[in-house]
Amino acid sequence: MRNTVVEYIIGEARKNQDIILITADLGYSVVEKFKMEFPDRFFNIGIAEQNMIGVAAGLALSGKKVFLYSIAPFAIMRCFEQIRVDLCYQNLDVTILGVGGGFAYGTSGTTHNAVEDLAIMRALPNMKVMCPADPNEAVQVIKKAVITGGPSYIRLNRGGEKNVISNLDYESIKLGDLVEIYKNKKNGGVAIFSCGSILSEAYRAASDLVERGENVALYSCPFLKPINREKIVDILRNRHSVITVEEHTILGGLGSTMAEIIAEENLNIKLVRLGVEDKYFNFIGTQDYMRDQAGLSAQKIEQKIIPLCLN
Amino acid sequence: MPYDDFKKRAVNIRKNILRAIYRTKNSHIGSCFSIVEILVALYFEVMNINPNNTEAHNRDIFILSKGHAAVALYAILVESGFCDTTVIDKYAADGTQFAGHVIRGSIPGIEISSGSLGHGLPIATGLALGAKIDKNSNRKIFCLMGDGECDEGSVWEATMFAVQKRLDNLTIIIDFNNQQGMGESREIISQDNLADKFRAFGCEVRETSGHDYMELTTALGRSNNSSRPLVIIAKTTKGKGVSFMENSVDWHYKSPSDEQYRQALKELES
Ligand SMILES: Cc1ncc(C[n+]2csc(CCOP(=O)(O)OP(=O)(O)O)c2C)c(N)n1
C-alpha cells in the first residue's frame, strides 16, 4: 500500500514542480524512488517530527504541496500540537502519510501501534482523515487529498497487501464517499461499515454470510472525515442493525461517527461497534494475532454479526 | 573482570542476539551489535545492580532510550542473571511481552518502556532529579541513546534542564555509530560535533571507543566530580562483530538468511 502511494506521488510530482516529499528518517525501500527522481524535492529531516511539521508549514506557505512520511504515532502524535497550530489552524496544504496503522507493527509493541490516530486527527478542524483499505482505495483517497488541498492525514497499513476487491469502480468516488461492496437484498437486515485494511477480515465475514443467504451489506469507509452523511442515513433508514469494524479504539473513530449520526438523525437502529477496547494490550504479536485478540478476525467479526441477522 | 571474560560475555550476547533475530526475522540487529560492549561494561563493571534484588531502593538505573535495540538489553539481562533464556527463545512471539521495543516490567531490570526515540533522556533526568531530592540517595542514572536519536529536540530540552539542576548523577551515553534509519547520520543530520554541542550545553564530556574494554571502563568508571551531567561519546560500529553487517544501513532492517546466519556465527566464534 505504501509503495503504491509513493508511486502515485511520483507520478504527480512529474507534472507538478511544487510537490515535495519529506521523511523523518523512515521509509527504507519505500521513498528511495522519489529521492532518485527528484533529489531536490526530497528531504530527510532527521528523527525530528516536530520540526518536520513546522518545516512543512513553511514550505506550504511558500506555495509548495508537501507530503510527509513516517510511522503513524511519530507522524502525528509526537508532533500533535504542531499539526494543530501550524497546519490545521492555518489550513495549509500538507498531507501526512502515517504507515503502520492499527497493529501493522504488532510485534514492535505499543510505541509503534496506531489505534488512537483516527480519533485524534478527527478532532482537528480542517483536517481530512482517511483510512484506505487497500492499494486501490489508497490511490483514490490520495487523489482526492491532492485535489482538495489543505491538511490531510492518511493512515496506511504497511507493504505488500493485496486489493480486497479488484473490480470496483473507484473513479467516480468523491471526497467522503463510501465504497459499496455488498448491498442489502431487501429491507431490514444488517449493514456492516468497515474502515481501513481490516476490510479484508470484514469482507471474509460478510462474504460468508452473503453466501449463506443472509441480508447483509458491506461498505468500506476510506474517508472518515468528511464522510457522506446523507448516504449513510440513506442506508441506515431501512436497516434494523448496523455494525462498525475498525482496527482502532472504539472511542472516536468510525463507531463513534456512526453513533453521532444515528443519534442526531433520530434513527431507530441497533448499533454494535467492533474495535479495540479502551486499554493498552500488555502483550505483543503479529497483526493477525493482535486483530484476533481484539476480536477483529473474520471469524470473530462474523460471530458478532450472526445474532444481529436473527432479528 | 579479566579481559577474556569480557570478550566471552560479548560473544555470548551477540550470539543470543543473532539467534533471536535470525529465528524471528524481527531485526535492528546492527543497532544491537553496536552497544554490546557498552552494556557489558555497565552491567559487569560500572552499575550498582543486583539480579537477586532487582527492586533495590538504592540500585542504579539503566535507561535504554534507543528502545529498538531491545534484543541487546534482553541478552545482557540473560548474561548478567536477571532472567533465563526464555526471552531469547520467545522473542517477538505472539502473546508475550518480549517485544521489538522494550516494555517496562516485562522482565526484571527493564526500567522503562521505550521505542519512540527521544523519550529516554527526559525520563532519566527525572529519575536523576528524584535521586537528588531524596538526599541520602547515591543512585546513578545511565541513559543510552543513538547519535541519530540526538536529532530529537527533547534530547536537548532534557540536557539543558539536567545542566541547570547540576545532575551529576546522570550519565548520558551516546552510541555514536554515525548511522541512523536511512543512512549515514553525516548525510542526514550531522552529529560530527556532538561532543562540542554537549560541552556548549554545559555537560562534562568524555570521548571513548565504544568497543575497547579498557577505554570504555575507564571512561564510564572514573568518577564525575564536575557537578555537571556526564556525557560519554562512545565511538561504535553499527553491526559490530559480523563483517558483512558492519556500517551498513541495510542491517538496521535486515535479518540473516540461513547462509548468513551460519557465516555470522562462524565469525562470532572465531
Ligand atoms: C520518534 C521516533 N521516530 C522514528 C523512529 C524510527 N526509528 C527507529 S530506529 C531509527 C534510527 C535510529 O538511529 P540511531 O539513534 O542513530 O540508532 P542506531 O540504530 O543507528 O544505533 C529510527 C528513525 C522511532 N523509533 N521513534
Side-chain angles (χ1 to χ4, degrees), chain A residues 145-159:
Chain A
V146 171
I147 293 165
T148 315
S152 332
Y153 169 62
I154 304 181
R155 180 215 265 203
L156 302 171
N157 199 50
R158 54 189 299 181

Side-chain angles (χ1 to χ4, degrees), chain A residues 25 49 74 78, chain B residues 31 66 68 115 117 146 148-149 177 179 238:
Chain A
D25 204 27
E49 296 77 10
F74 313 140
R78 182 54 162 275
Chain B
S31 312
K66 45 171 279 184
H68 60 285
L117 295 166
E149 186 173 5
N177 55 31
Q179 293 259 338
K238 197 157 172 172

Side-chain angles (χ1 to χ4, degrees), chain A residues 51-185:
Chain A
N51 193 41
M52 174 165 78
I53 302 294
V55 168
L59 286 165
L61 287 168
S62 318
K64 307 298 174 198
K65 199 165 187 70
V66 188
F67 291 86
L68 306 179
Y69 184 96
S70 189
I71 296 181
F74 313 140
I76 61 159
M77 296 179 194
R78 182 54 162 275
C79 42
F80 177 74
E81 204 238 3
Q82 274 83 1
I83 294 176
R84 176 177 181 259
V85 176
D86 305 351
L87 303 188
C88 292
Y89 186 29
Q90 310 185 71
N91 201 16
L92 298 180
D93 190 358
V94 176
T95 302
I96 305 171
L97 307 168
V99 292
F103 297 114
Y105 296 122
T107 56
S108 285
T110 294
T111 52
H112 286 56
N113 294 160
V115 293
E116 314 96 331
D117 56 334
L118 302 174
I120 293 170
M121 288 293 102
R122 216 182 134 237
L124 292 170
N126 286 333
M127 180 60 89
K128 293 181 290 302
V129 184
M130 291 164 269
C131 184
D134 59 13
N136 269 344
E137 282 193 9
V139 168
Q140 290 310 312
V141 299
I142 201 162
K143 263 188 191 172
K144 302 318 180 275
V146 171
I147 293 165
T148 315
S152 332
Y153 169 62
I154 304 181
R155 180 215 265 203
L156 302 171
N157 199 50
R158 54 189 299 181
E161 45 292 268
K162 295 190 187 63
N163 286 316
V164 178
I165 304 110
S166 47
N167 58 350
L168 291 179
D169 167 27
Y170 286 98
E171 288 305 321
S172 60
I173 287 173
K174 291 188 289 300
L175 187 72
D177 271 352
L178 319 177
V179 179
E180 181 180 275
I181 296 164
Y182 292 121
K183 249 178 133 130
N184 290 94
K185 285 174 297 212

Side-chain angles (χ1 to χ4, degrees), chain A residues 25-28 31-32 44-49 74 78 107-109 111-112 282-286 289, chain B residues 26 92 94-101 115-117 119 148 151-152 154 180-182 188-189 250 253:
Chain A
D25 204 27
L26 278 158
Y28 175 79
V31 297
E32 288 87 347
N44 182 349
I45 199 113
I47 311 167
E49 296 77 10
F74 313 140
R78 182 54 162 275
T107 56
S108 285
T111 52
H112 286 56
N282 65 349
F283 53 80
I284 55 132
T286 60
Y289 178 82
Chain B
N26 218 296
D94 285 347
T96 68
Q97 293 200 309
F98 308 141
H101 301 81
S116 177
L117 295 166
H119 287 239
D151 298 354
E152 288 284 4
S154 56
Q180 53 188 92
M182 294 288 283
I188 298 165
I189 299 286
D250 293 344
Y253 305 94

